[in-house]
Amino acid sequence: MSEKKLKFNSKAIHGGQEPDKAYGAVMPPIYQTSTYAQSTPGGHQGYEYSRSANPTRTALEKSLASIENGNYGLAFASGLAAIDAVIKLLNPGDEVVSTNDLYGGSYRLFKQVFEKFGIRFHFIGMQNVHTIEEYINGNTKLIWTETPTNPMMNVIDIRAISKLAKKYRLLLAVDNTFATPYLQTPLDLGADIVMHSATKYLGGHSDVVVGALVVRDKDLADKLYFLQNASGAVCGPMDSFLVLRGIKTLHVRMQRHCENGKAVAEYLAGNPKIEKVYWPGFENHPNHDIAKSQMSDFGGMISFVPKGSNYDEAIKIVEKLKLFTLAESLGGVESLAGHPASMTHASIPKEEREKSGVVDSLIRLSVGIEDIRDLIADLEQAIG
Ligand SMILES: *Cc1c(COP(=O)(O)O)cnc(C)c1O
């Protein structure tokens, strides 16, 4: 059976994987080596130096390509290293149209690192495709988007934006960290580049920091591979192994994340002490129809605002939570709670932050795969 025809749950386990050639090991060995013996100069077995390529990383890169329905995967030392490679495709004077509701670290990389090198970024709301068009000019080269967005859970119409990107011959990159390919495959919706912080759901066990890119086009893959090797922020063999192991259970974990996420979202929405709940699965979520058309379910990421609360009261709630650990990050088997204004989004100026809805009292949950009764009881005692 051709591997491309496999269903997602099978690809997560088998995609791009073959038993190891040396001894038939079912899991790819951790090739903890920097270099490879050559019989004569250039006489090697496909690997020369581990920045350029390493067999464990290759196994992960093939798995990534398979689950995202792409042709080429690239694994980096972190999600930000992966984004860094994408922006390095550009030249001084080029412009990027980016969503304004994005991961704080991406914003920091764009604003504080790449603007210095003469690349210009426009951070805008992407709910309306016509707004994006207003920011496109002769220098625009890339549209950067993230959906569902972090932490406001807005859903951006990837198909509509990809039409625009094609019309103006721009690259479209989608940060698919929140959705994962279990819920949404941006390349199928017209994106050119899919990016992941594999630190989150793909790794899934909060034990590694890794980034990924997946593309279809050979030329684009070659350019990105050049940058991966030239800049050198590669994913190490041990970390490649850990993410590969994570991906093998991605589908079963995601199924439970979605179930628990729904139950928590409904509990919060029914709690009179809560003012607002942001979760794309609600029918009254402003982008629910788009979510339904491009995602197969709604995920386990939820943000909420307690009624009449401020910065300090929101912090009190996250401190009271016991089963939800107060921590940065998301997507692991364990439930986490975060306070974006002081944590993940602290690097975005307050006025910028509040424009996109990240108010001081917003709390973000990454709903894990524990027993849902325990999770609800924990929220109940913390919210009071
Ligand atoms: C965490 C995260 C990143 C950055 O990834 P790292 O692995 O931490 O470098 C980028 N985008 C999103 C949506 C994230 O959640």
Side-chain angles (χ1 to χ4, degrees):
M1 186 172 190
S2 145
E3 197 202 288
K4 293 225 174 203
K5 289 212 182 99
L6 290 178
K7 301 279 186 282
F8 185 83
N9 296 354
S10 310
K11 282 188 189 176
I13 296 167
H14 299 289
Q17 307 305 301
E18 289 163 22
D20 181 61
K21 287 196 184 76
Y23 299 108
V26 166
M27 266 310 274
I30 302 163
Y31 283 96
Q32 197 72 50
T33 186
S34 59
T35 191
Y36 307 81
Q38 308 192 6
S39 54
T40 175
H44 54 76
Q45 299 172 49
Y47 294 92
E48 288 173 279
Y49 186 63
S50 281
R51 171 162 33 73
S52 311
N54 171 285
T56 319
R57 194 175 97 214
T58 304
L60 170 62
E61 290 176 334
K62 286 186 173 168
S63 167
L64 291 164
S66 170
I67 57 176
E68 280 289 1
N69 295 338
N71 296 326
Y72 306 94
L74 298 111
F76 291 83
S78 70
L80 284 172
I83 302 175
D84 180 84
V86 174
I87 306 303
K88 284 179 179 159
L89 292 167
L90 309 179
N91 292 308
D94 287 349
E95 297 191 13
V96 179
V97 183
S98 164
T99 171
N100 59 2
D101 181 10
L102 84 165
Y103 179 69
S106 312
Y107 178 85
R108 183 178 53 199
L109 177 65
F110 295 167
K111 275 306 271 189
Q112 295 186 37
V113 179
F114 282 109
E115 279 199 348
K116 249 186 0 200
F117 294 98
I119 296 169
R120 196 156 169 228
F121 295 85
H122 302 274
F123 297 95
I124 62 163
M126 288 197 169
Q127 308 309 312
N128 183 340
V129 180
H130 301 294
T131 325
I132 305 175
E133 207 159 6
E134 287 168 27
Y135 287 85
I136 295 175
N137 61 44
N139 296 326
T140 313
K141 295 283 153 50
L142 171 73
I143 301 179
W144 183 271
T145 192
E146 186 182 315
T147 177
T149 65
N150 176 22
M152 297 313 296
M153 311 303 153
N154 288 315
V155 176
I156 292 167
D157 189 340
I158 300 174
R159 275 190 203 92
I161 297 185
S162 93
K163 277 192 198 132
L164 199 66
K166 288 193 169 60
K167 178 171 159 194
Y168 291 97
R169 297 170 184 264
L170 311 175
L171 284 175
L172 170 60
V174 177
D175 182 336
N176 205 28
T177 301
F178 268 39
T180 85
Y182 175 81
L183 297 178
Q184 136 189 313
T185 45
L187 298 177
D188 292 331
L189 302 167
D192 301 290
I193 302 172
V194 175
M195 174 263 152
H196 276 280
S197 169
T199 312
K200 317 295 166 55
Y201 285 105
L202 299 188
H205 295 75
S206 308
D207 51 9
V208 74
V209 174
V210 168
L213 299 176
V214 181
V215 303
R216 282 189 178 156
D217 182 70
K218 165 103 174 53
D219 217 39
L220 184 55
D222 288 346
K223 286 183 184 148
L224 289 166
Y225 172 70
F226 171 81
L227 288 163
Q228 183 193 36
N229 185 46
S231 291
V234 295
C235 178
M238 179 73 199
D239 291 352
S240 299
F241 174 86
L242 286 170
V243 175
L244 258 175
R245 185 163 73 164
I247 289 173
K248 284 175 193 284
T249 55
L250 178 64
H251 50 300
V252 281
R253 286 186 285 111
M254 284 309 291
Q255 202 176 345
R256 183 63 61 85
H257 282 297
C258 290
E259 267 173 45
N260 283 358
K262 180 171 195 284
V264 167
E266 284 170 355
Y267 159 77
L268 290 170
N271 186 326
K273 293 200 168 135
I274 302 301
E275 179 162 332
K276 273 201 179 130
V277 186
Y278 301 94
W279 180 67
F282 289 130
E283 271 178 33
N284 65 0
H285 181 285
N287 321 120
H288 179 69
D289 288 342
I290 299 164
K292 263 198 346 204
S293 82
Q294 69 187 21
M295 298 169 73
S296 60
D297 205 337
F298 306 106
M301 294 302 300
I302 299 165
S303 291
F304 69 97
V305 177
K307 212 168 252 172
S309 86
N310 56 28
Y311 193 95
D312 293 336
E313 282 157 356
I315 286 187
K316 255 185 227 145
I317 293 179
V318 293
E319 284 176 350
K320 266 201 217 158
L321 287 164
K322 293 197 174 78
L323 204 54
F324 281 85
T325 304
L326 174 60
E328 304 259 1
S329 200
L330 61 109
V333 289
E334 61 285 301
S335 292
L336 301 180
H339 179 243
S342 66
M343 298 168 71
T344 45
H345 289 61
S347 54
I348 303 180
K350 186 174 158 90
E351 316 81 71
E352 280 294 315
R353 230 197 291 133
E354 298 207 331
K355 260 193 244 164
S356 54
V358 186
V359 295
D360 282 350
S361 54
L362 187 83
I363 294 171
R364 189 189 79 180
L365 300 178
S366 169
V367 181
I369 63 172
E370 298 93 338
D371 191 302
I372 186 62
R373 291 165 294 189
D374 295 329
L375 293 178
I376 304 251
D378 192 32
L379 289 165
E380 185 79 21
Q381 66 79 23
I383 294 164

